[in-house]
Structure formats: structure tokens, C-alpha cells
């Protein structure tokens, strides 16, 4: 699969609309971009098939789910080798508190976005699930006070 996909202005409009409201009906989406519903459905299917659209997600309020304390955990793994990295990533992704994991360059190897019920639960997560592991050399924690999401992601210049 190529790294980038040729997108028409209509494709870009479809992406913009779906990223703002993934629940829009195909009929409304087609009307908004000026296509017949069947053509619009084909365009969306092509965007999925080519990997441009990778999924549809519900955004949830972590606090309303009993997880009001969000943090970023910067983790250094030593030695930073695949036989340790792959199981570590699997472990992180298995934890219910983990919302996202990023593999980084620089002094830290991973960034984990977590949501916990309290400072005590955050401490338990760091001590029992991260620093207790032999490959974890260091964890640096930053609390999230507030966050904002950006607009739709489109190709440069679109």
C-alpha cells in the first residue's frame, strides 16, 4: 500500500465532514458533497480500502467514566531492544487506564496517555505496572489539566 493516496477535492470534503461527525448518514454526506448516495458510499469505501480512513471512534469523557485524572507517562526502557519493547507495548495496551501509546525518539522511549480514578491509582499504575518491570529504567509523569482537539486532518495544502 502506498504511503500517500491521491485525493480529489470531493474526497477531502468527505474526510473533513466525517472527521467532524462520523455518525453523519451516507445520504446527508452525499448531499453535502454533491454526489449520489451510491457514489458517495463507493468513495467512502475506497477511502477505507486504501487505509485513509482507519476507523470510527466515539470520543468519551474520561471523568464521566470515573477516571478524572489524566496524565502523560514518559517511559525510558533499557535496553531498548525489540525482545523487550514488543512485550512492553503489549503490556501497556492491556492496561485499562491506557488510552494511547506512542513510540518516541529522544531521551524517552514511550509516551503513554492514561486516565485514572485518583492520584493513588496513578501511583499504583506507575509503581505496580511500570517501574516494577525490569526493562523500565525511568518514568516521568505529567498531569493533564485540560486538553483540546485539533480540527480535521487533511493533506498539506488542502
Amino acid at each position: 500500500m502506498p504511503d500517500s493516496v491521491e485525493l480529489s477535492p470531493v474526497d477531502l470534503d468527505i474526510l473533513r465532514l466525517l472527521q467532524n461527525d462520523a455518525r453523519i448518514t451516507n445520504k446527508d454526506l452525499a448531499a453535502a458533497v454533491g454526489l449520489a448516495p451510491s457514489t458517495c458510499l463507493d468513495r467512502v469505501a475506497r477511502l477505507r480500502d486504501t487505509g485513509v480512513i482507519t476507523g470510527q471512534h466515539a470520543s468519551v469523557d474520561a471523568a464521566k467514566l470515573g477516571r478524572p485524572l489524566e496524565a502523560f507517562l514518559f517511559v525510558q526502557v533499557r535496553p531498548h531492544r525489540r525482545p523487550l519493547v514488543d512485550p512492553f507495548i503489549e503490556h501497556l495496551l492491556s492496561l485499562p487506564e491506557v488510552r494511547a501509546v506512542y513510540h518516541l525518539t529522544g531521551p524517552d522511549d514511550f509516551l503513554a496517555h492514561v486516565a485514572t480514578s485518583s492520584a493513588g491509582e496513578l501511583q499504583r499504575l506507575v509503581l505496580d505496572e511500570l517501574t516494577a518491570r525490569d526493562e523500565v529504567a525511568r518514568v516521568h509523569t505529567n498531569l493533564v489539566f485540560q486538553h483540546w482537539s485539533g480540527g480535521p486532518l487533511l493533506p498539506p495544502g488542502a
Side-chain angles (χ1 to χ4, degrees), residues 7-22 24 29 32-33 47 52-53 151-155 157-158:
L7 299 172
S8 73
V10 172
D11 293 330
L12 295 175
D13 286 343
I14 289 170
L15 288 174
R16 187 177 292 109
L17 290 163
L18 285 175
Q19 286 181 80
N20 285 325
D21 181 8
I24 189 172
L29 181 61
V33 298
L47 291 168
V52 174
I53 295 175
L153 182 63
L154 299 172

Side-chain angles (χ1 to χ4, degrees), residues 10-11 13-14 17-18 24-48 53:
V10 172
D11 293 330
D13 286 343
I14 289 170
L17 290 163
L18 285 175
I24 189 172
T25 66
N26 183 63
K27 181 181 174 184
D28 290 343
L29 181 61
V33 298
L35 294 176
S38 60
T39 304
C40 186
L41 195 60
D42 289 343
R43 292 276 188 125
V44 171
R46 185 180 73 79
L47 291 168
R48 284 191 182 110
I53 295 175

Side-chain angles (χ1 to χ4, degrees), residues 86-141:
D86 290 343
F88 179 70
I89 294 168
E90 288 177 28
H91 176 69
L92 283 177
L93 293 174
S94 75
L95 301 171
E97 299 88 356
V98 174
R99 304 196 66 194
V101 177
Y102 303 90
H103 195 185
L104 307 174
T105 63
D108 298 304
D109 301 312
F110 295 95
L111 170 63
H113 177 199
V114 301
T116 65
S117 60
S118 65
E121 273 302 301
L122 179 59
Q123 181 183 30
R124 183 207 58 77
L125 177 68
V126 170
L127 293 176
D128 296 344
E129 299 294 346
L130 296 176
T131 59
R133 295 180 64 93
D134 290 337
E135 71 272 27
V136 174
R138 182 173 61 89
V139 177
H140 174 90
T141 304

